Amino acid sequence: MVRTRVQPTDIRFVCGLSGYFHKDLRAVKLSPHFDPLADNIAAVTPGFTNVVQPGHVISVLIRLPNGSVAIGDCVDVIFSGAASRDPIFIPAQHLPYLNAVVKPWLLHCDVSVFRLNAAEVDATWRALGNKKLHTAVRYGLTQALLSATAQVSHCTAAEVISREWKVDISTRAVGILASCHRNDWLQLDRMIMKRVALLPHASFVHARDIGEKGKGLLDYVLAVSKRIQERGSFNYQPRLHFDVYGTIGEIFADEEIPDFMELVEQAACPYGILIKSPIVADTKMAQIKRLSQLKRSLRARCINVKIVADEWCNTLEDMRDFTEADAADFLQVKPPDLGSLHNSIDAVLYCQSQNMGCCLGGSANETDISARITAHVALATRPDFLLSKPGIGADEGVMILTNEQLRTLALVDTFDSIPEKKRY
């Protein structure tokens, strides 16, 4: 089949707000008295002027010959600059080269295909001194390019991925992990009522959050388990997921952690439980080594707490290293950290090929646009679950991801836009 070249007619870059904020994780970890409202400690991570800063985005608008507009949002994660991530994304620093260098490139881009363009975005740019674009920029540009390819192909973004990667599109929506505030019990009740697949995420960022000897975390896990049993329908069996940002490793020696994990498993009963980042080491190699040792210990003792790797596991190469070392049960594929969307697609497919569990995650700091694009990636690649985004309102993120998946499945099921698409 002969492909017709399609080039954009105009490009615009628009600054706006993201779904949450940025936080200097290192500064927070160093201070036992951090108060985000009082702003009572100094920032220490390069690029931060305050410990907590509003999140901003650059929307990429690609106007197509038929007058339609494809959109992508350049956005990064809450804890920018931590664990080998790119520095905090400040739009004003990127607009000059976006207009001078990237805009002309986009105007000459053939948007009838996606994957080749995504790889070019992800490569080094000669006009920028053979440097790569910031991960947030690569993420936003490729969202817009994927949307553009879908529009000129008269199909969904999921079908574009299906065609170009030769993968099957799911016949059902991917389950969602609802990201809830730790102290908002009504929010948790709403997620129980909506029967989300996993909950509550409930971040524990500082060692004091999990309490002396982890008692605060154990009490919270037990309370969540009881609340589901009391308020959930009789056949509702979600998995529990908690993000502890290395705090378990801060208060326990590595050899003590399995004993604590056994208590966590008991508190979660009768539900399966996942703990994200139980340890955060100072380097990637140390992180891999310590998580590998922990996983072996848990397996040897038949302690059924699943480890989710996040920190220091930011790139496709990182994910290969964590997988080869058997350092986790699940990897979080975090699109803002991976930059160009083709990396996220490849990462999920790699996890599947290696029988590694996979969360197609992201950040509360994302937007409705990036969340919707992520829903299409999920349908085409079928990770084990999605993280709700943007924000930590849970309701909004679950709604956006659920509805985008269901609408897409209805379109894929109804229209034969891509004859060679495959279903399972």
Side-chain angles (χ1 to χ4, degrees), residues 245-320:
Y245 289 96
T247 51
I248 292 174
E250 290 177 29
I251 66 171
F252 292 105
D254 285 7
E255 61 271 18
E256 297 173 325
I257 294 178
D259 287 336
F260 179 70
M261 289 294 209
E262 187 171 19
L263 297 177
V264 170
E265 180 187 14
Q266 293 168 3
C269 186
Y271 307 108
I273 185 165
L274 291 72
I275 297 291
K276 189 167 86 167
S277 300
I279 296 166
V280 176
D282 293 331
T283 67
K284 182 177 114 175
M285 295 311 297
Q287 181 79 348
I288 290 173
K289 180 179 179 181
R290 293 174 68 188
L291 287 183
S292 296
Q293 291 172 340
L294 175 58
K295 186 180 176 186
R296 284 196 299 271
S297 296
L298 295 177
R299 185 188 299 126
R301 295 178 53 176
C302 298
I303 298 170
N304 193 25
V305 177
K306 303 301 183 184
I307 299 170
V308 184
D310 181 7
E311 306 303 309
W312 295 107
C313 191
N314 302 321
T315 68
L316 186 54
E317 180 183 358
D318 294 339
M319 292 174 192
R320 291 191 179 108

Side-chain angles (χ1 to χ4, degrees), residues 171-210:
T171 56
R172 64 186 69 87
V174 175
I176 297 171
L177 162 61
S179 183
C180 303
H181 286 287
R182 192 173 71 249
N183 58 354
D184 191 337
W185 292 101
L186 290 179
Q187 185 184 60
L188 177 64
D189 288 346
R190 293 195 300 273
M191 295 304 101
I192 294 171
M193 177 181 66
K194 295 178 181 181
R195 296 173 61 90
V196 297
L198 296 94
L199 74 174
H201 195 58
S203 298
F204 293 77
V205 177
H206 203 283
R208 69 168 181 264
D209 294 336
I210 69 169

Side-chain angles (χ1 to χ4, degrees), residues 319-320 323-324 348-357:
M319 292 174 192
R320 291 191 179 108
T323 299
E324 289 172 4
V348 177
L349 296 177
Y350 170 77
C351 287
Q352 288 180 343
S353 72
Q354 302 299 310
N355 295 315
M356 170 61 77

Side-chain angles (χ1 to χ4, degrees), residues 47-362:
F48 279 83
T49 54
N50 299 93
V51 174
V52 178
Q53 299 179 200
H56 293 93
V57 303
I58 296 177
S59 289
V60 181
L61 279 58
I62 301 178
R63 187 175 293 280
L64 301 169
N66 65 1
S68 64
V69 178
I71 305 174
D73 281 343
C74 304
V75 62
D76 59 349
V77 299
I78 298 170
F79 297 114
S80 296
S84 77
R85 296 187 179 101
D86 273 3
I88 183 173
F89 179 63
I90 308 295
Q93 298 174 358
H94 302 274
L95 284 172
Y97 73 77
L98 282 171
N99 281 297
V101 176
V102 177
K103 180 176 180 177
W105 179 82
L106 284 171
L107 287 170
H108 287 86
C109 216
D110 177 10
V111 296
S112 67
V113 293
F114 169 67
R115 193 171 183 176
L116 292 174
N117 293 330
E120 283 200 49
V121 167
D122 205 44
T124 57
W125 288 63
R126 184 176 180 183
L128 300 176
N130 291 320
K131 294 180 180 179
K132 285 195 170 190
L133 304 174
H134 191 286
T135 47
V137 174
R138 286 180 261 155
Y139 185 35
L141 287 173
T142 51
Q143 291 168 45
L145 286 166
L146 178 56
S147 177
T149 303
Q151 290 187 42
V152 301
S153 301
H154 305 291
C155 68
T156 66
E159 289 169 292
V160 172
I161 299 168
S162 171
R163 178 182 65 196
E164 298 198 17
W165 271 262
K166 295 181 173 56
V167 293
D168 298 342
I169 296 175
S170 178
T171 56
R172 64 186 69 87
V174 175
I176 297 171
L177 162 61
S179 183
C180 303
H181 286 287
R182 192 173 71 249
N183 58 354
D184 191 337
W185 292 101
L186 290 179
Q187 185 184 60
L188 177 64
D189 288 346
R190 293 195 300 273
M191 295 304 101
I192 294 171
M193 177 181 66
K194 295 178 181 181
R195 296 173 61 90
V196 297
L198 296 94
L199 74 174
H201 195 58
S203 298
F204 293 77
V205 177
H206 203 283
R208 69 168 181 264
D209 294 336
I210 69 169
E212 186 177 357
K213 296 184 179 180
K215 186 177 184 303
L217 176 60
L218 290 174
D219 289 346
Y220 185 75
V221 173
L222 180 61
V224 170
S225 176
K226 286 184 175 179
R227 205 166 185 98
I228 296 169
Q229 294 174 65
E230 293 168 357
R231 305 192 177 211
S233 53
F234 75 95
N235 61 346
Y236 176 47
Q237 285 287 317
R239 286 179 291 174
L240 308 189
H241 180 290
F242 301 90
D243 191 352
V244 300
Y245 289 96
T247 51
I248 292 174
E250 290 177 29
I251 66 171
F252 292 105
D254 285 7
E255 61 271 18
E256 297 173 325
I257 294 178
D259 287 336
F260 179 70
M261 289 294 209
E262 187 171 19
L263 297 177
V264 170
E265 180 187 14
Q266 293 168 3
C269 186
Y271 307 108
I273 185 165
L274 291 72
I275 297 291
K276 189 167 86 167
S277 300
I279 296 166
V280 176
D282 293 331
T283 67
K284 182 177 114 175
M285 295 311 297
Q287 181 79 348
I288 290 173
K289 180 179 179 181
R290 293 174 68 188
L291 287 183
S292 296
Q293 291 172 340
L294 175 58
K295 186 180 176 186
R296 284 196 299 271
S297 296
L298 295 177
R299 185 188 299 126
R301 295 178 53 176
C302 298
I303 298 170
N304 193 25
V305 177
K306 303 301 183 184
I307 299 170
V308 184
D310 181 7
E311 306 303 309
W312 295 107
C313 191
N314 302 321
T315 68
L316 186 54
E317 180 183 358
D318 294 339
M319 292 174 192
R320 291 191 179 108
D321 291 340
F322 274 74
T323 299
E324 289 172 4
D326 195 23
D329 299 289
F330 293 85
L331 304 183
Q332 181 178 192
V333 174
K334 191 176 283 188
D337 285 339
L338 281 154
S340 178
L341 266 176
H342 79 288
N343 292 323
S344 293
I345 296 166
D346 288 343
V348 177
L349 296 177
Y350 170 77
C351 287
Q352 288 180 343
S353 72
Q354 302 299 310
N355 295 315
M356 170 61 77
C358 174
C359 166
L360 182 56

